[in-house]
């Protein structure tokens, strides 16, 4: 497998970062899709065919998404647009 280029990573991360202050879902989706392609490639480039790191990455992602979901359910007004429920 060839090594992923850093420009691709920077572009995907930049789209995600720009989508937050601009509140653009399209940019967030494109950046997330780019990272979704990039992250597995770099994990398998660095760690080869071992199973531990990809599983750890998956578990960490599930935990982070669970925390985000819990935060939006505990304080719905704080995380919506304009601070209103």
């Amino acid at each position: 497998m060839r090594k992923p280029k850093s420009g691709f990573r920077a572009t995907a991360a930049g789209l995600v970062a720009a989508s937050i202050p601009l509140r653009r879902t399209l940019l967030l989706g494109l950046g997330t899709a780019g990272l979704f392609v990039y992250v597995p490639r770099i994990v398998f480039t660095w760690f080869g065919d071992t199973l531990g790191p990809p599983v750890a990455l998956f578990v960490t992602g599930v935990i982070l998404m669970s925390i985000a979901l819990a935060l939006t359910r505990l304080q719905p007004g704080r995380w919506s647009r304009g601070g209103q429920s």
Side-chain angles (χ1 to χ4, degrees), residues 1-13 31-46 57:
M1 182 178 280
R2 65 178 185 200
K3 189 173 183 181
K5 296 181 180 180
S6 62
F8 182 76
R9 174 185 61 213
T11 301
T32 302
L35 290 173
F36 187 72
V37 170
Y38 177 78
V39 169
R41 285 184 63 194
I42 200 68
V43 166
F44 284 111
T45 299
W46 287 347
L57 185 63

Side-chain angles (χ1 to χ4, degrees), residues 11-28:
T11 301
L15 286 172
V16 171
S19 71
I20 296 168
L22 296 174
R23 293 182 182 257
R24 300 286 183 213
T25 308
L26 179 62
L27 292 179
L28 179 62

